[in-house]
Structure formats: structure tokens, C-alpha cells
């Protein structure tokens, strides 16, 4: 009667070790993907909360350029197609303000330009877009997933390298046992002649 073991191919100890490592790495992969999702959700929540807070704290007002943009003294902290210029506007509390703001290059004296200000009426950056949380969350989750995949791949390659070295050593040892018989060196010179 043939046993279940008799129908299976013989397996080396290193084959079983590779199987265990593969299962463990798959489990770690699942945990890493869950972690990536949690990191992404946390990043999304943080950025979304900040966007909501900034939208509540900042107001868009219309400012009037006092000094033409081409006469402004500085270009520090401006992006392409913009420049710093002196402008005046009414703050949310009703007071008149005058300060340097970022305006388009085409703005001339007397031009109306939109400016974001905080509750005190001080110029501020525009609030973060509400959709930025989705992008930041996706990028954060993606980075965690890629880092985890690279670590798991490196661990798998290390395990395969170790088992390959073990297998090579075993094959070398076994070949040293049978090679003399196969080559005829075990019988000596007289045995080969006969």
C-alpha cells in the first residue's frame, strides 16, 4: 500500500525553509499593506484638517496695487509670473491695510488683485486645497507600500541566497562521495584496466 508520503517528491530541508519564509513574508506583506493604508489615512486626515482650518482662518480680499509691480523692490518668495508689489486692502475687521503682496507681473498701479489674508488682515498664503489630503494620503501610502515591498524582496533574496549556498554545499559534499565511483577512481588503476 502506497502512503501519502510515497507519492510526493522528496524535499530538502532548505525547500521547507523557503516555504516557511515565503509564508512569513506574505503575512508581513499583508501587515505592511494594512500599515500603508493606516499611514495614508492618517496623512489624509492631517492635511484635510489643516486645509479646513486654513480655509476657516483665511479670507480672500481684493487689494489695489499702489506701487506698480515692475517698481517693487524685491522678488523674494514669489513664483513664476508673479512679483512683489505694494498694495492696499480692507481687512476683515474693516481697517485699511497696506503691505507688500504677491501680484501678477502684469499688475499696474491701480489694478485690483486678489489677496489672501488671515483674521488679523495680514497677507497669508492661500489655504491648502481640500483635495490635497487625498493626494498626500495616496503618496504616503504609496511610499510605505514601496518601502515594505523592497524590504520584503530583500529578505526573500537573502533567504534564497542562504538556501542556495546550503544546497550547493550539500551537492558538493554528495558529489565528493559518488564521484570516485562514477569516474572509476575508486577502483584504482588496476580496476580501470580490467
Amino acid at each position: 500500500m502506497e502512503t501519502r508520503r510515497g507519492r510526493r517528491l522528496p524535499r530538502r530541508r532548505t525547500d521547507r525553509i523557503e516555504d516557511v519564509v515565503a509564508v512569513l513574508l506574505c503575512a508581513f506583506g499583508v501587515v505592511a499593506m494594512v500599515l500603508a493604508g493606516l499611514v495614508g489615512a492618517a496623512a489624509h486626515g492631517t492635511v484635510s484638517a489643516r486645509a479646513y482650518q486654513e480655509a476657516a482662518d483665511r479670507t480672500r480680499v481684493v487689494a489695489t496695487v499702489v506701487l506698480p509691480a515692475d517698481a517693487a523692490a524685491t522678488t523674494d518668495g514669489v513664483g513664476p509670473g508673479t512679483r512683489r508689489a505694494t498694495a492696499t486692502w480692507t481687512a476683515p475687521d474693516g481697517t485699511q491695510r497696506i503691505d507688500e503682496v504677491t501680484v501678477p507681473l502684469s499688475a499696474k498701479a491701480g489694478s485690483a488683485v486678489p489677496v489672501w489674508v488671515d483674521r488679523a488682515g495680514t497677507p497669508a498664503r492661500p489655504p491648502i486645497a481640500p483635495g490635497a489630503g487625498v493626494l498626500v494620503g495616496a503618496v504616503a501610502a504609496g511610499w510605505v507600500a514601496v518601502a515594505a515591498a523592497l524590504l520584503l524582496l530583500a529578505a526573500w533574496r537573502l533567504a534564497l541566497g542562504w538556501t542556495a549556498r546550503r544546497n550547493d554545499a550539500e551537492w558538493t559534499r554528495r558529489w565528493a562521495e559518488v564521484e570516485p565511483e562514477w569516474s572509476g577512481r575508486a577502483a584504482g588503476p588496476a580496476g580501470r584496466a580490467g
Side-chain angles (χ1 to χ4, degrees), residues 57 91-93 95 97 117-122:
D57 289 342
D93 64 2
T95 59
R97 300 294 174 98
V117 296
D118 60 17
R119 290 178 190 237
T122 307

Side-chain angles (χ1 to χ4, degrees), residues 21-35:
V21 170
V23 168
L24 287 174
L25 291 178
C26 286
F28 288 140
V30 170
V31 170
M33 293 307 111
V34 170
L35 179 64

Side-chain angles (χ1 to χ4, degrees), residues 71-90:
T74 181
T75 58
D76 292 340
V78 297
T82 60
R83 195 168 173 98
R84 303 288 287 171
T86 304
T88 182
W89 65 91
T90 304

Side-chain angles (χ1 to χ4, degrees), residues 37-110:
L38 293 173
V39 168
H44 171 267
T46 300
V47 173
S48 294
R50 182 175 168 195
Y52 177 77
Q53 184 64 40
E54 286 182 2
D57 289 342
R58 297 179 187 173
T59 306
R60 190 173 180 179
V61 297
V62 176
T64 304
V65 176
V66 177
L67 222 80
D70 56 9
T74 181
T75 58
D76 292 340
V78 297
T82 60
R83 195 168 173 98
R84 303 288 287 171
T86 304
T88 182
W89 65 91
T90 304
D93 64 2
T95 59
Q96 282 297 115
R97 300 294 174 98
I98 187 166
D99 202 348
E100 263 195 7
V101 295
T102 303
V103 298
L105 284 175
S106 60
K108 306 215 180 304

